[in-house]
Amino acid sequence: DQQVKQNSPSLSVQEGRISILNCDYTNSMFDYFLWYKKYPAEGPTFLISISSIKDKNEDGRFTVFLNKSAKHLSLHIVPSQPGDSAVYFCAAIMTGGSEKLVFGKGTKLTVNP
Amino acid sequence: GAGVSQSPRYKVAKRGQDVALRCDPISGHVSLFWYQQALGQGPEFLTYFQNEAQLDKSGLPSDRFFAERPEGSVSTLKIQRTQQEDSAVYLCASSLGQGGWGLRTEAFFGQGTRLTVV
């Protein structure tokens, strides 16, 4: 049973436009959420995170929104750049408990010049 | 070194062969994690060490999988009698403090070892 779901395997956007990557979760005990970016043949790198006590966190071109009631979060990239082309993983954790980070399957973002 | 180093980068094993995958975490990092990523899937948790103590091994899929970190630094993931379903990328991550998923200190992933069982 997938506790973290990324229902879009891929997304293609034009350079300069907004990229919106979505993630849903089923476990209401998750209280901290992270986005990782992965290039081919490299390990995932941390991008941005959000605590469940917030509904928005912004870092430069990247903003993560959390809707707890809907168990939904999204990552917005504005403006999108070709270098943003990568696989993006949504992940969740229950703080104060296990250190087990639960990942979604990932969304492959392609930003076209 | 500058980052988490994993070796070998690629490993081809015949079914039934034993393999050992190595992870060199960033020097001084307390926490170490192993993840398994099958093709088209997200990484899945295998096990977690805090120094030399294996605090969580609930993700190890069978007793053919064994991980150790005897001196609290380098870790080895061993898979005995490999099966085709073991084919995956095995990722190691380390963090300076306890846990580390962006809460206290950031955790860093290595490039992974791609295991192919034929």
Side-chain angles (χ1 to χ4, degrees), chain B residues 6-79:
Chain B
Q6 291 188 245
S7 60
R9 288 291 313 278
Y10 304 93
K11 175 70 180 176
V12 178
K14 290 184 178 179
R15 191 169 52 183
Q17 185 180 353
D18 297 349
V19 298
L21 312 180
R22 178 186 170 105
C23 173
D24 281 85
I26 295 172
S27 179
H29 276 199
V30 167
S31 296
L32 186 145
F33 308 83
W34 283 99
Y35 277 78
Q36 178 192 59
Q37 185 178 11
L39 190 63
Q41 304 293 315
E44 292 200 8
F45 172 82
L46 292 177
T47 187
Y48 162 58
F49 289 87
Q50 197 176 109
N51 295 306
E52 69 278 4
Q54 190 174 21
L55 299 186
D56 188 344
K57 55 181 180 179
S58 62
L60 296 176
S62 76
D63 59 7
R64 296 186 296 103
F65 286 71
F66 172 77
E68 60 182 5
R69 194 186 185 198
E71 297 178 359
S73 56
V74 172
S75 178
T76 304
L77 176 66
K78 297 178 179 178
I79 309 173

Side-chain angles (χ1 to χ4, degrees), chain A:
Chain A
D1 180 35
Q2 274 261 304
Q3 296 187 70
V4 177
K5 301 177 183 179
Q6 293 177 258
N7 292 318
S8 297
S10 63
L11 174 68
S12 184
V13 300
Q14 286 300 119
E15 182 178 5
R17 297 290 187 97
I18 184 171
S19 295
I20 301 176
L21 297 99
N22 293 303
C23 177
D24 297 288
Y25 62 96
T26 58
N27 190 337
S28 58
M29 297 298 291
F30 288 142
D31 59 358
Y32 201 82
F33 305 90
L34 305 94
W35 285 92
Y36 278 80
K37 177 178 179 179
K38 186 180 184 303
Y39 293 116
E42 294 185 11
T45 55
F46 171 74
L47 191 58
I48 193 170
S49 63
I50 188 167
S51 165
S52 61
I53 62 173
K54 295 186 176 181
D55 55 18
K56 177 183 175 181
N57 188 26
E58 191 172 353
D59 183 3
R61 296 185 297 114
F62 302 91
T63 303
V64 56
F65 295 91
L66 175 63
N67 182 333
K68 276 186 64 179
S69 60
K71 295 192 180 69
H72 177 83
L73 62 156
S74 61
L75 174 68
H76 292 212
I77 307 174
V78 182
S80 302
Q81 299 174 353
D84 296 330
S85 298
V87 177
Y88 289 78
F89 290 100
C90 172
I93 192 169
M94 288 175 267
T95 60
S98 164
E99 296 296 337
K100 193 179 305 186
L101 192 63
V102 180
F103 284 87
K105 290 187 178 183
T107 297
K108 183 177 181 180
L109 173 67
T110 302
V111 180
N112 300 303

